[in-house]
Tab-separated table of all heavy atoms in Angstrom:
chain	number	residue	atom	x	y	z
A	210	CYS	N	-27.975	-25.956	85.324
A	210	CYS	CA	-28.687	-27.028	84.639
A	210	CYS	C	-29.613	-26.388	83.602
A	210	CYS	O	-30.467	-25.572	83.949
A	210	CYS	CB	-29.507	-27.843	85.632
A	210	CYS	SG	-30.390	-29.185	84.826
A	254	ASN	N	-41.943	-23.594	81.348
A	254	ASN	CA	-42.580	-22.927	82.490
A	254	ASN	C	-42.621	-23.911	83.660
A	254	ASN	O	-42.209	-25.065	83.526
A	254	ASN	CB	-43.975	-22.396	82.125
A	254	ASN	CG	-44.912	-23.507	81.664
A	254	ASN	OD1	-44.839	-24.634	82.156
A	254	ASN	ND2	-45.780	-23.200	80.712
A	255	LEU	N	-43.120	-23.462	84.802
A	255	LEU	CA	-43.078	-24.294	85.998
A	255	LEU	C	-43.937	-25.548	85.845
A	255	LEU	O	-43.664	-26.578	86.457
A	255	LEU	CB	-43.543	-23.484	87.215
A	255	LEU	CG	-42.635	-22.310	87.599
A	255	LEU	CD1	-43.247	-21.499	88.730
A	255	LEU	CD2	-41.244	-22.804	88.001
A	256	ALA	N	-44.981	-25.455	85.020
A	256	ALA	CA	-45.873	-26.601	84.861
A	256	ALA	C	-45.245	-27.680	83.982
A	256	ALA	O	-45.415	-28.866	84.241
A	256	ALA	CB	-47.199	-26.139	84.247
A	258	ALA	N	-41.739	-27.815	82.725
A	258	ALA	CA	-40.314	-28.174	82.897
A	258	ALA	C	-40.126	-28.789	84.289
A	258	ALA	O	-39.303	-28.338	85.087
A	258	ALA	CB	-39.432	-26.942	82.704
A	259	LYS	N	-40.860	-29.844	84.543
A	259	LYS	CA	-40.916	-30.425	85.902
A	259	LYS	C	-39.574	-30.972	86.370
A	259	LYS	O	-39.202	-30.801	87.528
A	259	LYS	CB	-41.956	-31.545	85.932
A	259	LYS	CG	-43.389	-31.039	85.953
A	259	LYS	CD	-44.313	-32.064	86.604
A	259	LYS	CE	-45.721	-31.524	86.721
A	259	LYS	NZ	-46.416	-31.434	85.427
A	260	GLU	N	-38.860	-31.649	85.465
A	260	GLU	CA	-37.597	-32.268	85.866
A	260	GLU	C	-36.607	-31.189	86.309
A	260	GLU	O	-35.947	-31.307	87.346
A	260	GLU	CB	-37.017	-33.070	84.688
A	260	GLU	CG	-35.734	-33.783	85.049
A	260	GLU	CD	-35.121	-34.563	83.886
A	260	GLU	OE1	-35.790	-34.723	82.840
A	260	GLU	OE2	-33.967	-35.000	84.045
A	261	LEU	N	-36.551	-30.117	85.546
A	261	LEU	CA	-35.642	-29.019	85.879
A	261	LEU	C	-36.025	-28.387	87.228
A	261	LEU	O	-35.167	-28.149	88.087
A	261	LEU	CB	-35.704	-27.952	84.778
A	261	LEU	CG	-34.886	-26.696	85.042
A	261	LEU	CD1	-33.398	-26.981	84.877
A	261	LEU	CD2	-35.301	-25.555	84.101
A	262	VAL	N	-37.313	-28.140	87.394
A	262	VAL	CA	-37.785	-27.497	88.625
A	262	VAL	C	-37.434	-28.374	89.831
A	262	VAL	O	-36.931	-27.885	90.854
A	262	VAL	CB	-39.312	-27.221	88.553
A	262	VAL	CG1	-39.842	-26.714	89.876
A	262	VAL	CG2	-39.618	-26.222	87.436
A	263	ALA	N	-37.620	-29.689	89.691
A	263	ALA	CA	-37.299	-30.607	90.798
A	263	ALA	C	-35.810	-30.515	91.132
A	263	ALA	O	-35.417	-30.493	92.301
A	263	ALA	CB	-37.679	-32.026	90.412
A	264	ARG	N	-34.964	-30.454	90.112
A	264	ARG	CA	-33.513	-30.356	90.363
A	264	ARG	C	-33.155	-29.074	91.090
A	264	ARG	O	-32.313	-29.059	91.981
A	264	ARG	CB	-32.733	-30.406	89.047
A	264	ARG	CG	-32.666	-31.798	88.467
A	264	ARG	CD	-31.820	-31.796	87.210
A	264	ARG	NE	-31.923	-33.072	86.549
A	264	ARG	CZ	-30.872	-33.795	86.155
A	264	ARG	NH1	-29.659	-33.343	86.342
A	264	ARG	NH2	-31.041	-34.940	85.546
A	265	LEU	N	-33.777	-27.961	90.701
A	265	LEU	CA	-33.445	-26.662	91.314
A	265	LEU	C	-33.994	-26.561	92.738
A	265	LEU	O	-33.532	-25.749	93.534
A	265	LEU	CB	-33.981	-25.518	90.440
A	265	LEU	CG	-33.051	-24.954	89.367
A	265	LEU	CD1	-31.923	-24.138	89.980
A	265	LEU	CD2	-32.456	-26.025	88.455
A	266	ASN	N	-34.998	-27.394	93.031
A	266	ASN	CA	-35.597	-27.349	94.370
A	266	ASN	C	-35.061	-28.468	95.261
A	266	ASN	O	-35.657	-28.761	96.295
A	266	ASN	CB	-37.128	-27.462	94.264
A	266	ASN	CG	-37.732	-26.230	93.592
A	266	ASN	OD1	-37.023	-25.269	93.319
A	266	ASN	ND2	-39.016	-26.263	93.331
A	267	ALA	N	-33.941	-29.072	94.849
A	267	ALA	CA	-33.470	-30.271	95.559
A	267	ALA	C	-32.642	-29.963	96.806
A	267	ALA	O	-31.945	-30.827	97.309
A	267	ALA	CB	-32.683	-31.151	94.602
A	268	GLY	N	-32.673	-28.768	97.298
A	268	GLY	CA	-31.938	-28.446	98.529
A	268	GLY	C	-30.502	-28.065	98.254
A	268	GLY	O	-30.175	-27.574	97.171
A	269	PRO	N	-29.599	-28.298	99.220
A	269	PRO	CA	-28.228	-27.790	99.113
A	269	PRO	C	-27.460	-28.310	97.901
A	269	PRO	O	-26.558	-27.645	97.404
A	269	PRO	CB	-27.557	-28.283	100.408
A	269	PRO	CG	-28.643	-28.830	101.270
A	269	PRO	CD	-29.870	-29.034	100.445
A	270	THR	N	-27.824	-29.488	97.383
A	270	THR	CA	-27.075	-30.032	96.237
A	270	THR	C	-27.590	-29.502	94.902
A	270	THR	O	-27.054	-29.816	93.843
A	270	THR	CB	-27.188	-31.574	96.202
A	270	THR	OG1	-28.588	-31.888	96.144
A	270	THR	CG2	-26.541	-32.217	97.406
A	271	ALA	N	-28.649	-28.702	94.939
A	271	ALA	CA	-29.246	-28.193	93.698
A	271	ALA	C	-28.261	-27.304	92.940
A	271	ALA	O	-27.421	-26.636	93.563
A	271	ALA	CB	-30.495	-27.388	94.029
A	272	PRO	N	-28.370	-27.273	91.622
A	272	PRO	CA	-27.541	-26.321	90.863
A	272	PRO	C	-27.878	-24.882	91.277
A	272	PRO	O	-28.976	-24.622	91.775
A	272	PRO	CB	-27.951	-26.565	89.404
A	272	PRO	CG	-28.842	-27.742	89.384
A	272	PRO	CD	-29.284	-28.038	90.763
A	273	ASP	N	-26.932	-23.961	91.040
A	273	ASP	CA	-27.174	-22.556	91.429
A	273	ASP	C	-28.067	-21.844	90.422
A	273	ASP	O	-28.721	-20.861	90.746
A	273	ASP	CB	-25.837	-21.794	91.482
A	273	ASP	CG	-24.867	-22.465	92.406
A	273	ASP	OD1	-25.160	-22.528	93.606
A	273	ASP	OD2	-23.834	-22.974	91.914
A	274	PHE	N	-28.031	-22.339	89.193
A	274	PHE	CA	-28.715	-21.633	88.105
A	274	PHE	C	-29.435	-22.648	87.233
A	274	PHE	O	-28.875	-23.686	86.883
A	274	PHE	CB	-27.678	-20.869	87.276
A	274	PHE	CG	-28.242	-20.137	86.094
A	274	PHE	CD1	-28.867	-18.904	86.252
A	274	PHE	CD2	-28.149	-20.675	84.813
A	274	PHE	CE1	-29.396	-18.233	85.153
A	274	PHE	CE2	-28.672	-20.006	83.711
A	274	PHE	CZ	-29.295	-18.780	83.891
A	275	GLY	N	-30.682	-22.351	86.890
A	275	GLY	CA	-31.438	-23.256	86.030
A	275	GLY	C	-32.101	-22.484	84.911
A	275	GLY	O	-32.435	-21.308	85.058
A	276	ALA	N	-32.273	-23.147	83.777
A	276	ALA	CA	-32.937	-22.481	82.650
A	276	ALA	C	-33.498	-23.545	81.719
A	276	ALA	O	-33.065	-24.695	81.744
A	276	ALA	CB	-31.951	-21.592	81.899
A	286	MET	N	-36.919	-19.816	80.358
A	286	MET	CA	-37.314	-19.667	81.767
A	286	MET	C	-36.033	-19.633	82.586
A	286	MET	O	-35.112	-20.412	82.340
A	286	MET	CB	-38.181	-20.843	82.225
A	286	MET	CG	-38.487	-20.780	83.730
A	286	MET	SD	-39.708	-22.002	84.271
A	286	MET	CE	-38.793	-23.518	84.121
A	287	ILE	N	-35.974	-18.716	83.542
A	287	ILE	CA	-34.786	-18.563	84.386
A	287	ILE	C	-35.145	-18.938	85.829
A	287	ILE	O	-36.136	-18.446	86.376
A	287	ILE	CB	-34.275	-17.093	84.347
A	287	ILE	CG1	-33.956	-16.645	82.905
A	287	ILE	CG2	-33.076	-16.889	85.281
A	287	ILE	CD1	-32.794	-17.333	82.239
A	288	LEU	N	-34.306	-19.784	86.420
A	288	LEU	CA	-34.524	-20.204	87.806
A	288	LEU	C	-33.241	-20.038	88.614
A	288	LEU	O	-32.136	-20.184	88.083
A	288	LEU	CB	-34.904	-21.689	87.865
A	288	LEU	CG	-36.146	-22.151	87.099
A	288	LEU	CD1	-36.225	-23.671	87.134
A	288	LEU	CD2	-37.408	-21.543	87.696
A	289	GLY	N	-33.414	-19.736	89.904
A	289	GLY	CA	-32.295	-19.836	90.844
A	289	GLY	C	-32.574	-21.032	91.724
A	289	GLY	O	-33.549	-21.759	91.515
A	290	LYS	N	-31.730	-21.253	92.729
A	290	LYS	CA	-32.010	-22.337	93.676
A	290	LYS	C	-33.366	-22.074	94.293
A	290	LYS	O	-33.548	-21.035	94.955
A	290	LYS	CB	-30.969	-22.283	94.798
A	290	LYS	CG	-29.832	-23.270	94.663
A	290	LYS	CD	-28.983	-23.196	95.930
A	290	LYS	CE	-27.565	-23.642	95.726
A	290	LYS	NZ	-27.319	-25.031	95.589
A	291	ASN	N	-34.308	-22.948	94.082
A	291	ASN	CA	-35.644	-22.797	94.666
A	291	ASN	C	-36.252	-21.410	94.420
A	291	ASN	O	-36.899	-20.841	95.294
A	291	ASN	CB	-35.542	-23.055	96.179
A	291	ASN	CG	-36.840	-23.600	96.723
A	291	ASN	OD1	-37.774	-23.860	95.953
A	291	ASN	ND2	-36.919	-23.752	98.025
A	292	PHE	N	-36.006	-20.860	93.251
A	292	PHE	CA	-36.449	-19.489	92.978
A	292	PHE	C	-36.789	-19.340	91.497
A	292	PHE	O	-36.011	-19.736	90.620
A	292	PHE	CB	-35.335	-18.509	93.365
A	292	PHE	CG	-35.766	-17.068	93.361
A	292	PHE	CD1	-36.421	-16.520	94.458
A	292	PHE	CD2	-35.530	-16.256	92.252
A	292	PHE	CE1	-36.838	-15.199	94.456
A	292	PHE	CE2	-35.943	-14.932	92.243
A	292	PHE	CZ	-36.595	-14.399	93.346
A	293	PHE	N	-37.949	-18.734	91.232
A	293	PHE	CA	-38.435	-18.564	89.855
A	293	PHE	C	-38.402	-17.084	89.486
A	293	PHE	O	-38.859	-16.236	90.261
A	293	PHE	CB	-39.870	-19.094	89.783
A	293	PHE	CG	-40.633	-18.674	88.548
A	293	PHE	CD1	-40.296	-19.180	87.300
A	293	PHE	CD2	-41.705	-17.787	88.636
A	293	PHE	CE1	-41.017	-18.808	86.161
A	293	PHE	CE2	-42.425	-17.413	87.507
A	293	PHE	CZ	-42.076	-17.927	86.266
A	294	VAL	N	-37.858	-16.765	88.328
A	294	VAL	CA	-37.873	-15.377	87.865
A	294	VAL	C	-39.012	-15.215	86.855
A	294	VAL	O	-39.005	-15.845	85.791
A	294	VAL	CB	-36.546	-14.976	87.194
A	294	VAL	CG1	-36.571	-13.494	86.824
A	294	VAL	CG2	-35.368	-15.266	88.105
A	399	GLU	N	-31.463	-15.123	92.876
A	399	GLU	CA	-32.409	-14.572	93.846
A	399	GLU	C	-31.943	-13.202	94.347
A	399	GLU	O	-32.745	-12.265	94.455
A	399	GLU	CB	-32.577	-15.545	95.023
A	399	GLU	CG	-33.572	-15.027	96.042
A	399	GLU	CD	-34.017	-16.074	97.054
A	399	GLU	OE1	-33.664	-17.258	96.912
A	399	GLU	OE2	-34.724	-15.683	98.002
Side-chain angles (χ1 to χ4, degrees):
C210 181
N254 59 34
L255 295 175
K259 284 206 176 72
E260 182 181 349
L261 176 73
V262 173
R264 285 183 189 231
L265 269 288
N266 293 354
T270 57
D273 304 296
F274 178 80
M286 174 171 70
I287 302 293
L288 302 172
K290 260 186 205 286
N291 209 5
F292 190 83
F293 165 70
V294 184
E399 181 167 353

